[in-house]
């Protein structure tokens, strides 16, 4: 999925570059600043992010908003009507995401529930209006519960000993959580984003022979970064 999103971003830059170059040489006369062109800054990123593994609900919401705004700028739809419907639309999409998210991630949910019932000795981290840092270099990692409320938490697992599947329950409320993971693990994410989200910046490919770290995240005006 990450490769697809990278390819799509590459194609976007190539197409824009070719259009600008051909216009400069007089080969084409394509107006890239058409009426409503600015909506592409919403539409394109939202569409490309659909090909990532993270929760897609906010990508869908922003994609629809971007398309609707483009149609409004083209006088196909009315701004006055759409302005009244955007907030109800977001609420409906959020409601549907809460209802159907368990169906879309049934296997991941089952594994998360099992790990949470088995891991009673996990680490606890809480940052409220402050910061917390922890390094597991040379230590065995047995899961963690991380809460960040108007604060920041940094957990370094890059040199931790991880022999089995483990669970990280992360809650970021107006705060941020950074998790550095080793290369020899798989990453599975289940997230509930409300004006926030989880960003998986690792390049780990899935390997059944390796242990998996399950990230169970709740983000309210906050974010979880996996590096």
């Amino acid at each position: 999925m990450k490769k697809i999103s990278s390819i799509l971003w590459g194609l976007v830059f190539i197409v824009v570059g070719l259009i600008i170059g051909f216009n400069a040489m007089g080969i084409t006369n394509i107006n890239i600043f058409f009426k409503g062109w600015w909506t592409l800054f919403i539409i394109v990123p939202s569409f490309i992010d659909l090909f990532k593994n993270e929760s897609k609900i906010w990508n869908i919401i922003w994609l629809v908003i971007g398309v609707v705004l483009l149609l409004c700028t083209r006088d196909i739809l009315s701004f006055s009507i759409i302005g009244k419907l955007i907030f109800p639309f977001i609420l409906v999409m959020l409601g549907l995401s809460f209802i159907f998210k368990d169906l879309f991630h049934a296997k991941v949910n089952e594994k998360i529930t099992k790990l949470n019932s088995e891991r009673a000795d996990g680490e606890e981290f809480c940052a409220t209006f402050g910061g917390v840092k922890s390094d597991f270099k040379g230590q065995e990692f047995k899961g963690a519960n991380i809460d960040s409320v108007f604060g920041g938490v940094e957990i370094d697992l890059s040199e931790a000993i991880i022999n089995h599947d483990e669970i990280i329950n992360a809650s970021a409320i107006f705060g941020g959580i950074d998790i550095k993971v080793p290369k020899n693990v798989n990453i599975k994410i289940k997230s509930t984003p409300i004006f926030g989200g989880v960003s998986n910046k690792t390049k780990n490919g899935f390997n059944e022979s390796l242990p998996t770290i399950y990230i169970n995240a709740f983000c309210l005006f906050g974010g979880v970064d996996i590096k």
Side-chain angles (χ1 to χ4, degrees):
M1 288 294 192
K2 287 186 177 181
K3 290 183 179 179
I4 295 177
S5 63
S6 297
I7 291 172
L8 290 175
W9 272 118
L11 290 174
V12 168
F13 285 110
I14 290 171
V15 170
V16 173
L18 289 174
I19 291 174
I20 294 174
F22 288 156
N23 283 350
M25 292 186 294
I27 299 175
T28 60
N29 186 24
I30 300 174
N31 182 15
I32 60 175
F33 297 106
F34 57 88
K35 189 177 181 180
W37 64 272
W38 54 269
T39 60
L40 294 180
F41 287 101
I42 301 174
I43 296 172
V44 174
S46 301
F47 175 76
I48 293 177
D49 282 350
L50 290 175
F51 294 91
K52 294 183 178 180
N53 292 324
E54 292 82 7
S55 176
K56 298 175 175 57
I57 180 63
W58 282 104
N59 295 326
I60 295 173
I61 290 175
W62 282 111
L63 178 60
V64 172
I65 290 174
V67 171
V68 168
L69 289 175
L70 176 60
L71 295 176
C72 289
T73 60
R74 308 296 294 182
D75 298 325
I76 298 174
L77 296 177
S78 170
F79 271 113
S80 60
I81 296 177
I82 297 304
K84 297 176 182 178
L85 296 178
I86 284 181
F87 185 64
F89 167 76
I90 294 175
L91 292 179
V92 170
M93 291 296 293
L94 278 175
L96 291 174
S97 71
F98 281 113
I99 293 172
F100 293 107
K101 68 178 180 179
D102 289 339
L103 296 178
F104 298 144
H105 304 91
K107 291 184 179 180
V108 174
N109 290 335
E110 183 179 346
K111 186 66 176 182
I112 287 174
T113 301
K114 181 180 179 181
L115 288 174
N116 276 325
S117 64
E118 295 174 348
R119 301 291 190 268
D121 53 351
E123 299 284 343
E124 299 281 343
F125 301 96
C126 182
T128 304
F129 293 98
V132 173
K133 292 184 179 181
S134 183
D135 189 339
F136 283 80
K137 184 177 181 179
Q139 303 178 42
E140 184 177 2
F141 178 69
K142 297 183 178 180
N145 296 313
I146 306 173
D147 295 304
S148 174
V149 182
F150 290 97
V153 178
E154 295 182 21
I155 305 297
D156 190 348
L157 304 176
S158 57
E159 298 183 52
I161 300 172
I162 303 175
N163 297 319
H164 308 284
D165 292 348
E166 300 296 347
I167 176 73
I168 296 178
N169 297 299
S171 176
I173 302 175
F174 290 93
I177 298 173
D178 290 338
I179 304 171
K180 294 181 180 179
V181 299
K183 296 179 180 180
N184 60 336
V185 297
N186 302 311
I187 301 296
K188 290 284 187 179
I189 299 171
K190 174 193 172 185
S191 66
T192 302
I194 303 176
F195 293 102
V198 178
S199 175
N200 184 5
K201 299 176 181 176
T202 66
K203 298 180 180 180
N204 300 20
F206 186 81
N207 187 332
E208 292 185 358
S209 64
L210 297 177
T212 299
I213 296 179
Y214 288 84
I215 310 293
N216 181 27
F218 172 77
C219 302
L220 174 64
F221 291 97
V224 176
D225 285 337
I226 307 166
K227 306 174 181 177

